[in-house]
Amino acid sequence: MKKAAATRLMILEKAFELIYIKSYQTTSVDEIIATTKVTKGAFYYHFKTKDEMGLAILHEILKPALANSFIQPLQLQANPVVAIYDLMHGLLMENEFLKVEYGCPAANFTHEMTPWNADFRKVLDEITREWETAMATALENGKEKGFIRKDVNSKQVTLFVMSGYWGIRNFGKLENSKSIYLPYLQELKNYLHSLS
Amino acid sequence: MKKAAATRLMILEKAFELIYIKSYQTTSVDEIIATTKVTKGAFYYHFKTKDEMGLAILHEILKPALANSFIQPLQLQANPVVAIYDLMHGLLMENEFLKVEYGCPAANFTHEMTPWNADFRKVLDEITREWETAMATALENGKEKGFIRKDVNSKQVTLFVMSGYWGIRNFGKLENSKSIYLPYLQELKNYLHSLS
DNA sequence: TTGCAAACAGACCGAGCGGTATCTTCTATG
DNA sequence: CATAGAAGATACCGCTCGGTCTGTTTGCAA
């Protein structure tokens, strides 16, 4: 990789981590350049504005990360009951990047940016729809293979499950302990089994 | 009410609405005093800091509001399947204060304040637990009256349902339309029926 | 009516914000 | 090796932030 491209990517990655911990609005450009050891000139050479950087983070960091961690796992298991549960368990209990006290990066961005920034909302909506499609497809395939009842509405279930995930991530912030995830996962398992 | 107390309450109420729309961190004291037509001297007479005002909002506005809108409805219906569904339907589809594009005030506060302000987290945790207790109690009573299966774990179900609510509120921000609530409510109904 | 604290008014402050302007240093290509 | 454009450095700007300070008005008890 060219040096300049590496600088740009490094800014995006470190800024993403900072923003995950501190939120977008309260993470200043000065903080970003301090932790990246990149000067303001370099920063504003690569990004016209802070928001342009924010959007680049969504496109170039968050989107691929979600494809890897949220979508791929759904395609490794034919039984959606198992696939969805394992995905959630992995995200909540095993994922090393995601911290209980800071919640879900995508949910955080949605929470603070969506009501008043149309560009952010558009990208976040795209990202969310990708996950939605992947999960709904997994459920549909599961129906064909007899893992899921035929009368189950896949899109509806997907929305229900995704909502639960975003919500429990917020609960985690309150409790500040992963132990709150366990009863959620248990009930998710019960719910998923009721679909088969 | 004394005039000074009225001023204080007016600040809290208007600030709460502003913060609901704009988020706490991006709502400045200057904005609050501009919309309330209260001067800075008056504001800082009533509240030592912005955070003290924020905590007062949680205690004096949000807490009673949740008791009225989130807890009381659960005690009007003996069958928790109906009570919980009606509560959610009322909150999502009928409540006039809550707007789809701005989400849930309690969830918003939790999202942005909880990771780095222990005082806010404590109050929000209290408020959440009140709701949790009310819903779990409703489910337990429902078990005794035969509306809910005996093997259902009330606390677990409560957590699952509350998570779904917070999550779908976040989805609403993305879609910016109440229509996204309908499939969620439909699946919630399916899930609740699976408990009986 | 006076006295005095409660309540309010508003100019002001230093710090931090996002962003710009100008300059210097790399680096790829002829 | 020359040189032009890419990349990076840094001082600076206007503005807003939360908060302070000093002064004025209001309400109520004596």
Side-chain angles (χ1 to χ4, degrees), chain B residues 124-163:
Chain B
L124 289 163
D125 195 41
E126 280 170 30
I127 293 174
T128 307
R129 276 181 201 281
E130 283 182 18
W131 194 27
E132 196 179 348
T133 304
M135 198 181 296
T137 303
L139 284 163
E140 282 300 308
N141 292 341
K143 276 162 80 171
E144 279 184 25
K145 289 181 181 155
F147 291 117
I148 301 285
R149 289 200 323 271
K150 296 284 183 191
D151 65 303
V152 165
N153 183 326
S154 296
K155 282 211 161 192
Q156 217 165 269
V157 169
T158 297
L159 185 66
F160 197 65
V161 169
M162 290 171 73
S163 292

Short mmCIF file of all heavy atoms in Angstrom, two decimals, chain B residues 124-163:
data_model
loop_
_atom_site.label_atom_id
_atom_site.label_comp_id
_atom_site.label_asym_id
_atom_site.label_seq_id
_atom_site.Cartn_x
_atom_site.Cartn_y
_atom_site.Cartn_z
N LEU B 124 -30.63 6.20 35.27
CA LEU B 124 -31.25 5.48 34.15
C LEU B 124 -31.44 4.01 34.49
O LEU B 124 -32.44 3.40 34.09
CB LEU B 124 -30.37 5.64 32.90
CG LEU B 124 -30.39 7.05 32.29
CD1 LEU B 124 -29.22 7.26 31.34
CD2 LEU B 124 -31.71 7.30 31.57
N ASP B 125 -30.49 3.47 35.23
CA ASP B 125 -30.62 2.08 35.66
C ASP B 125 -31.82 1.92 36.59
O ASP B 125 -32.60 0.98 36.43
CB ASP B 125 -29.32 1.66 36.37
CG ASP B 125 -29.23 0.15 36.52
OD1 ASP B 125 -29.59 -0.54 35.55
OD2 ASP B 125 -28.82 -0.33 37.59
N GLU B 126 -31.97 2.85 37.52
CA GLU B 126 -33.14 2.82 38.42
C GLU B 126 -34.44 2.83 37.63
O GLU B 126 -35.34 2.02 37.85
CB GLU B 126 -33.13 4.04 39.34
CG GLU B 126 -32.22 3.95 40.54
CD GLU B 126 -32.10 5.31 41.23
OE1 GLU B 126 -33.07 6.10 41.17
OE2 GLU B 126 -31.03 5.56 41.81
N ILE B 127 -34.53 3.79 36.72
CA ILE B 127 -35.75 3.94 35.92
C ILE B 127 -36.05 2.66 35.15
O ILE B 127 -37.18 2.18 35.11
CB ILE B 127 -35.60 5.14 34.95
CG1 ILE B 127 -35.52 6.45 35.73
CG2 ILE B 127 -36.73 5.17 33.94
CD1 ILE B 127 -35.22 7.66 34.88
N THR B 128 -35.01 2.11 34.55
CA THR B 128 -35.18 0.89 33.77
C THR B 128 -35.65 -0.26 34.64
O THR B 128 -36.52 -1.04 34.25
CB THR B 128 -33.85 0.51 33.09
OG1 THR B 128 -33.39 1.65 32.36
CG2 THR B 128 -34.04 -0.66 32.15
N ARG B 129 -35.05 -0.35 35.83
CA ARG B 129 -35.43 -1.44 36.73
C ARG B 129 -36.89 -1.34 37.16
O ARG B 129 -37.55 -2.36 37.38
CB ARG B 129 -34.51 -1.44 37.96
CG ARG B 129 -33.22 -2.18 37.70
CD ARG B 129 -32.33 -2.20 38.93
NE ARG B 129 -30.95 -2.44 38.56
CZ ARG B 129 -30.45 -3.64 38.27
NH1 ARG B 129 -31.22 -4.69 38.27
NH2 ARG B 129 -29.17 -3.77 37.94
N GLU B 130 -37.38 -0.13 37.30
CA GLU B 130 -38.80 0.03 37.66
C GLU B 130 -39.69 -0.58 36.58
O GLU B 130 -40.66 -1.28 36.87
CB GLU B 130 -39.14 1.52 37.82
CG GLU B 130 -38.66 2.10 39.14
CD GLU B 130 -39.06 3.56 39.28
OE1 GLU B 130 -39.97 4.02 38.56
OE2 GLU B 130 -38.45 4.25 40.13
N TRP B 131 -39.33 -0.30 35.35
CA TRP B 131 -40.12 -0.86 34.24
C TRP B 131 -40.01 -2.38 34.22
O TRP B 131 -40.99 -3.11 34.07
CB TRP B 131 -39.65 -0.25 32.91
CG TRP B 131 -40.60 -0.52 31.78
CD1 TRP B 131 -41.95 -0.73 31.87
CD2 TRP B 131 -40.29 -0.60 30.39
NE1 TRP B 131 -42.49 -0.93 30.63
CE2 TRP B 131 -41.49 -0.85 29.70
CE3 TRP B 131 -39.11 -0.47 29.65
CZ2 TRP B 131 -41.55 -0.99 28.31
CZ3 TRP B 131 -39.16 -0.60 28.27
CH2 TRP B 131 -40.37 -0.86 27.62
N GLU B 132 -38.76 -2.84 34.42
CA GLU B 132 -38.47 -4.28 34.42
C GLU B 132 -39.31 -4.98 35.50
O GLU B 132 -39.98 -5.99 35.22
CB GLU B 132 -36.97 -4.46 34.72
CG GLU B 132 -36.42 -5.82 34.40
CD GLU B 132 -34.92 -5.88 34.71
OE1 GLU B 132 -34.31 -4.81 34.96
OE2 GLU B 132 -34.38 -6.99 34.74
N THR B 133 -39.29 -4.41 36.68
CA THR B 133 -40.04 -5.01 37.78
C THR B 133 -41.53 -5.07 37.47
O THR B 133 -42.19 -6.09 37.70
CB THR B 133 -39.80 -4.19 39.07
OG1 THR B 133 -38.40 -4.12 39.32
CG2 THR B 133 -40.50 -4.84 40.26
N ALA B 134 -42.05 -3.96 36.94
CA ALA B 134 -43.48 -3.91 36.65
C ALA B 134 -43.87 -4.98 35.63
O ALA B 134 -44.90 -5.66 35.78
CB ALA B 134 -43.85 -2.52 36.14
N MET B 135 -43.05 -5.12 34.59
CA MET B 135 -43.40 -6.09 33.55
C MET B 135 -43.24 -7.52 34.06
O MET B 135 -44.08 -8.39 33.78
CB MET B 135 -42.53 -5.86 32.30
CG MET B 135 -43.13 -6.53 31.06
SD MET B 135 -42.10 -6.31 29.58
CE MET B 135 -42.17 -4.54 29.36
N ALA B 136 -42.17 -7.77 34.81
CA ALA B 136 -41.96 -9.11 35.36
C ALA B 136 -43.09 -9.48 36.32
O ALA B 136 -43.56 -10.62 36.32
CB ALA B 136 -40.60 -9.17 36.06
N THR B 137 -43.52 -8.52 37.11
CA THR B 137 -44.63 -8.76 38.03
C THR B 137 -45.90 -9.10 37.26
O THR B 137 -46.64 -10.04 37.61
CB THR B 137 -44.86 -7.53 38.92
OG1 THR B 137 -43.66 -7.23 39.62
CG2 THR B 137 -45.99 -7.78 39.92
N ALA B 138 -46.16 -8.32 36.21
CA ALA B 138 -47.34 -8.59 35.39
C ALA B 138 -47.29 -10.02 34.84
O ALA B 138 -48.31 -10.73 34.82
CB ALA B 138 -47.42 -7.58 34.24
N LEU B 139 -46.12 -10.45 34.43
CA LEU B 139 -45.98 -11.80 33.88
C LEU B 139 -46.19 -12.86 34.97
O LEU B 139 -46.86 -13.87 34.75
CB LEU B 139 -44.60 -11.97 33.24
CG LEU B 139 -44.43 -11.30 31.87
CD1 LEU B 139 -42.96 -11.15 31.50
CD2 LEU B 139 -45.17 -12.10 30.79
N GLU B 140 -45.63 -12.60 36.14
CA GLU B 140 -45.81 -13.55 37.24
C GLU B 140 -47.29 -13.69 37.61
O GLU B 140 -47.78 -14.81 37.80
CB GLU B 140 -45.00 -13.09 38.46
CG GLU B 140 -43.50 -13.39 38.37
CD GLU B 140 -43.21 -14.88 38.23
OE1 GLU B 140 -43.70 -15.67 39.04
OE2 GLU B 140 -42.49 -15.27 37.27
N ASN B 141 -47.96 -12.54 37.71
CA ASN B 141 -49.40 -12.59 38.00
C ASN B 141 -50.14 -13.35 36.90
O ASN B 141 -51.08 -14.10 37.17
CB ASN B 141 -49.96 -11.17 38.12
CG ASN B 141 -49.42 -10.45 39.35
OD1 ASN B 141 -48.94 -11.08 40.28
ND2 ASN B 141 -49.50 -9.11 39.35
N GLY B 142 -49.70 -13.13 35.67
CA GLY B 142 -50.31 -13.83 34.54
C GLY B 142 -50.11 -15.34 34.63
O GLY B 142 -50.95 -16.11 34.19
N LYS B 143 -48.98 -15.73 35.18
CA LYS B 143 -48.72 -17.16 35.36
C LYS B 143 -49.71 -17.76 36.37
O LYS B 143 -50.29 -18.83 36.13
CB LYS B 143 -47.28 -17.38 35.84
CG LYS B 143 -46.28 -17.41 34.69
CD LYS B 143 -44.86 -17.20 35.15
CE LYS B 143 -44.22 -18.44 35.73
NZ LYS B 143 -42.75 -18.21 35.97
N GLU B 144 -49.88 -17.05 37.45
CA GLU B 144 -50.81 -17.53 38.49
C GLU B 144 -52.23 -17.67 37.96
O GLU B 144 -52.96 -18.58 38.33
CB GLU B 144 -50.79 -16.59 39.69
CG GLU B 144 -49.60 -16.83 40.62
CD GLU B 144 -49.66 -15.95 41.86
OE1 GLU B 144 -50.77 -15.52 42.24
OE2 GLU B 144 -48.59 -15.69 42.44
N LYS B 145 -52.60 -16.73 37.11
CA LYS B 145 -53.97 -16.74 36.60
C LYS B 145 -54.12 -17.61 35.36
O LYS B 145 -55.19 -17.63 34.73
CB LYS B 145 -54.42 -15.31 36.30
CG LYS B 145 -54.66 -14.51 37.57
CD LYS B 145 -55.13 -13.09 37.30
CE LYS B 145 -55.32 -12.34 38.63
NZ LYS B 145 -55.19 -10.89 38.48
N GLY B 146 -53.05 -18.28 34.97
CA GLY B 146 -53.15 -19.23 33.88
C GLY B 146 -53.02 -18.63 32.48
O GLY B 146 -53.23 -19.32 31.50
N PHE B 147 -52.65 -17.36 32.42
CA PHE B 147 -52.48 -16.73 31.10
C PHE B 147 -51.12 -17.08 30.48
O PHE B 147 -50.96 -17.03 29.27
CB PHE B 147 -52.59 -15.21 31.21
CG PHE B 147 -53.97 -14.73 31.54
CD1 PHE B 147 -54.23 -14.04 32.73
CD2 PHE B 147 -55.03 -14.97 30.66
CE1 PHE B 147 -55.51 -13.59 33.02
CE2 PHE B 147 -56.30 -14.50 30.96
CZ PHE B 147 -56.55 -13.82 32.14
N ILE B 148 -50.18 -17.39 31.35
CA ILE B 148 -48.80 -17.64 30.90
C ILE B 148 -48.36 -19.01 31.41
O ILE B 148 -48.67 -19.39 32.54
CB ILE B 148 -47.85 -16.56 31.46
CG1 ILE B 148 -48.27 -15.16 31.00
CG2 ILE B 148 -46.40 -16.83 31.08
CD1 ILE B 148 -47.96 -14.84 29.57
N ARG B 149 -47.60 -19.73 30.56
CA ARG B 149 -47.09 -21.04 30.95
C ARG B 149 -46.23 -20.93 32.20
O ARG B 149 -45.49 -19.95 32.39
CB ARG B 149 -46.26 -21.64 29.82
CG ARG B 149 -47.04 -22.10 28.59
CD ARG B 149 -46.18 -23.10 27.79
NE ARG B 149 -44.77 -22.75 27.79
CZ ARG B 149 -44.19 -21.95 26.90
NH1 ARG B 149 -44.88 -21.41 25.92
NH2 ARG B 149 -42.89 -21.70 26.98
N LYS B 150 -46.28 -21.97 33.02
CA LYS B 150 -45.55 -21.95 34.29
C LYS B 150 -44.03 -21.99 34.08
O LYS B 150 -43.26 -21.54 34.92
CB LYS B 150 -45.96 -23.16 35.15
CG LYS B 150 -47.42 -23.13 35.58
CD LYS B 150 -47.68 -22.14 36.71
CE LYS B 150 -49.13 -22.21 37.16
NZ LYS B 150 -49.52 -21.10 38.06
N ASP B 151 -43.61 -22.58 32.95
CA ASP B 151 -42.16 -22.72 32.73
C ASP B 151 -41.52 -21.47 32.12
O ASP B 151 -40.33 -21.46 31.86
CB ASP B 151 -41.90 -23.92 31.83
CG ASP B 151 -42.48 -23.70 30.44
OD1 ASP B 151 -43.71 -23.46 30.34
OD2 ASP B 151 -41.72 -23.73 29.46
N VAL B 152 -42.32 -20.44 31.93
CA VAL B 152 -41.77 -19.20 31.36
C VAL B 152 -40.97 -18.45 32.43
O VAL B 152 -41.41 -18.32 33.56
CB VAL B 152 -42.91 -18.31 30.83
CG1 VAL B 152 -42.42 -16.89 30.58
CG2 VAL B 152 -43.48 -18.90 29.55
N ASN B 153 -39.80 -17.97 32.02
CA ASN B 153 -38.96 -17.19 32.92
C ASN B 153 -39.31 -15.71 32.75
O ASN B 153 -38.92 -15.07 31.77
CB ASN B 153 -37.48 -17.45 32.60
CG ASN B 153 -36.55 -16.73 33.55
OD1 ASN B 153 -36.85 -15.63 34.01
ND2 ASN B 153 -35.43 -17.36 33.87
N SER B 154 -39.99 -15.15 33.73
CA SER B 154 -40.53 -13.79 33.59
C SER B 154 -39.46 -12.74 33.38
O SER B 154 -39.58 -11.85 32.54
CB SER B 154 -41.36 -13.44 34.82
OG SER B 154 -42.48 -14.27 34.91
N LYS B 155 -38.42 -12.80 34.16
CA LYS B 155 -37.35 -11.80 34.04
C LYS B 155 -36.70 -11.86 32.66
O LYS B 155 -36.36 -10.84 32.06
CB LYS B 155 -36.30 -12.04 35.12
CG LYS B 155 -36.72 -11.52 36.50
CD LYS B 155 -35.48 -11.09 37.29
CE LYS B 155 -35.88 -10.14 38.44
NZ LYS B 155 -34.70 -9.48 39.03
N GLN B 156 -36.53 -13.10 32.21
CA GLN B 156 -35.91 -13.32 30.91
C GLN B 156 -36.77 -12.74 29.79
O GLN B 156 -36.28 -12.05 28.89
CB GLN B 156 -35.76 -14.83 30.71
CG GLN B 156 -34.52 -15.26 30.01
CD GLN B 156 -34.31 -16.76 30.20
OE1 GLN B 156 -33.65 -17.20 31.12
NE2 GLN B 156 -34.90 -17.54 29.33
N VAL B 157 -38.06 -13.03 29.88
CA VAL B 157 -39.00 -12.51 28.88
C VAL B 157 -39.03 -10.99 28.92
O VAL B 157 -39.01 -10.32 27.88
CB VAL B 157 -40.41 -13.09 29.12
CG1 VAL B 157 -41.43 -12.36 28.26
CG2 VAL B 157 -40.43 -14.58 28.83
N THR B 158 -39.03 -10.45 30.13
CA THR B 158 -39.05 -8.99 30.28
C THR B 158 -37.85 -8.36 29.57
O THR B 158 -38.00 -7.40 28.81
CB THR B 158 -39.02 -8.62 31.78
OG1 THR B 158 -40.20 -9.12 32.40
CG2 THR B 158 -38.95 -7.13 31.96
N LEU B 159 -36.68 -8.91 29.85
CA LEU B 159 -35.47 -8.38 29.22
C LEU B 159 -35.56 -8.46 27.70
O LEU B 159 -35.18 -7.53 26.97
CB LEU B 159 -34.26 -9.17 29.72
CG LEU B 159 -32.89 -8.68 29.27
CD1 LEU B 159 -32.58 -7.31 29.83
CD2 LEU B 159 -31.80 -9.67 29.69
N PHE B 160 -36.09 -9.57 27.22
CA PHE B 160 -36.21 -9.79 25.78
C PHE B 160 -37.16 -8.76 25.16
O PHE B 160 -36.87 -8.20 24.10
CB PHE B 160 -36.73 -11.21 25.55
CG PHE B 160 -36.55 -11.73 24.16
CD1 PHE B 160 -35.28 -11.93 23.64
CD2 PHE B 160 -37.65 -12.03 23.37
CE1 PHE B 160 -35.12 -12.43 22.35
CE2 PHE B 160 -37.49 -12.51 22.08
CZ PHE B 160 -36.22 -12.71 21.57
N VAL B 161 -38.27 -8.53 25.84
CA VAL B 161 -39.27 -7.58 25.32
C VAL B 161 -38.76 -6.15 25.37
O VAL B 161 -38.90 -5.39 24.41
CB VAL B 161 -40.59 -7.72 26.11
CG1 VAL B 161 -41.53 -6.58 25.77
CG2 VAL B 161 -41.25 -9.06 25.82
N MET B 162 -38.13 -5.79 26.50
CA MET B 162 -37.61 -4.43 26.62
C MET B 162 -36.52 -4.17 25.59
O MET B 162 -36.46 -3.08 24.99
CB MET B 162 -37.06 -4.22 28.04
CG MET B 162 -38.14 -4.17 29.11
SD MET B 162 -37.45 -4.18 30.79
CE MET B 162 -36.79 -2.53 30.92
N SER B 163 -35.66 -5.13 25.39
CA SER B 163 -34.62 -4.98 24.37
C SER B 163 -35.25 -4.72 23.01
O SER B 163 -34.81 -3.86 22.25
CB SER B 163 -33.75 -6.23 24.32
OG SER B 163 -32.99 -6.36 25.49
#
